[in-house]
Amino acid sequence: MRAGPVLWRLAALVLLLVFITKPQLFAFVFEPLTINNAPAIYNQGSLFSLTLAHLGTVFSAALASTIIAVTLGIFVTRPSGLEFLALSRSLVNIGQTFPPIAVLAIAVPLVGFGEKPTLIALFLYGLLPIFENTLSGLTQVSPLTLEAAKGMGMSPRRRLIEVELPLALPVILAGIRLSVVINLGTATIGSTVAAKGLGEVIIAGLQSNNMAFILQGGLVVALLAVLISDALMSVERFAARKLGQAPS
């Protein structure tokens, strides 16, 4: 990896950490965006705590989406599950068909306000990319490779664990990365149902007509998305190199 991109990523990470822990250092940057002596830096909570809560919600939903989507992808690529492929696609498409805000509206009466409805919305929204990439990764494994593994006496379970899943891993990881990055932005709507997260900063800015707050929340989410996407892409490339594949 070239030194230039690494330095830029490191600089972005340091800038983000300093901003969420010591935001008052950047007050002079946001003061021109305020009116009527409004505060330049979000003062209704800790940016650091809100960032951790935001990431916790996103990664919890991503973990649940990954477990369900990968398991379902494995099932429908087995001979016994092929007939359920169309049904499975329809089910995982539900999260993309209904806007997350609509899922929140349905979930709140069932589970109440807070983090739970947001987790449900993000879980459903994150299923499709992971499921489709799991299908792509498993179906792209060479039949010759599978025949060779079968000829070595491997059982179907061993072929799945030791051959298919490792070869499909880079593609599956790409789906997880896409799901996480999408939900980093989508999670901001969770604050409309009292879930802790960076959406609080953006909503506070909208309610008080304070562009400084809106920009702060948006910039932190954007930097998180770029840095996490880059980190997950590095994991994909590492996995691809280990398997002797050309990194995508």
Side-chain angles (χ1 to χ4, degrees):
M1 189 177 290
R2 290 175 296 176
V6 173
L7 290 176
W8 277 111
R9 290 161 188 152
L10 183 59
L13 177 59
V14 170
L15 178 65
L16 175 63
L17 290 174
V18 173
F19 180 69
I20 63 176
T21 54
K22 302 289 184 181
Q24 290 298 334
L25 295 176
F26 300 84
F28 70 95
V29 176
F30 296 97
E31 281 173 356
L33 300 174
T34 62
I35 56 174
N36 300 325
N37 295 317
I41 296 296
Y42 181 70
N43 59 356
Q44 299 171 30
S46 163
L47 280 177
F48 181 71
S49 297
L50 291 176
T51 300
L52 290 182
H54 194 93
L55 290 174
T57 301
V58 170
F59 284 116
S60 295
L63 177 61
S65 296
T66 299
I67 292 170
I68 298 300
V70 172
T71 301
L72 194 57
I74 291 171
F75 173 65
V76 298
T77 53
R78 305 304 97 184
S80 58
L82 282 174
E83 61 183 301
F84 297 99
L85 176 57
L87 175 62
S88 299
R89 272 210 167 102
S90 298
L91 289 174
V92 299
N93 267 300
I94 290 176
Q96 298 285 334
T97 303
F98 288 94
I101 194 70
V103 178
L104 289 178
I106 296 170
V108 166
L110 298 175
V111 299
F113 287 89
E115 187 181 13
K116 289 181 181 178
T118 307
L119 282 171
I120 293 171
L122 297 183
F123 163 73
L124 292 174
Y125 208 57
L127 284 172
L128 183 62
I130 303 174
F131 176 75
E132 290 295 342
N133 275 44
T134 300
L135 287 183
S136 297
L138 291 173
T139 55
Q140 287 174 11
V141 176
S142 169
L144 294 176
T145 303
L146 294 177
E147 283 297 322
K150 186 176 181 181
M152 293 170 62
M154 285 188 176
S155 65
R157 183 177 178 180
R158 280 192 63 197
R159 290 199 298 271
L160 172 65
I161 295 173
E162 297 181 23
V163 179
E164 294 181 74
L165 284 176
L167 290 174
L169 184 60
V171 181
I172 296 172
L173 288 173
I176 295 172
R177 172 173 56 84
L178 180 59
S179 178
V180 168
V181 170
I182 291 172
N183 277 347
L184 278 166
T186 307
T188 55
I189 66 168
S191 296
T192 61
V193 293
K196 287 291 182 182
L198 292 165
E200 282 189 23
V201 186
I202 297 172
I203 291 174
L206 292 171
Q207 290 176 337
S208 61
N209 194 28
N210 189 331
M211 281 298 298
F213 286 3
I214 297 172
L215 185 59
Q216 284 160 42
L219 282 175
V220 174
V221 172
L223 271 175
L224 285 173
V226 170
L227 290 169
I228 290 173
S229 176
D230 189 68
L232 293 176
M233 194 175 293
S234 296
V235 175
E236 290 172 42
R237 290 171 177 163
F238 176 79
R241 283 196 299 270
K242 282 290 184 181
L243 294 168
Q245 301 174 3
S248 58

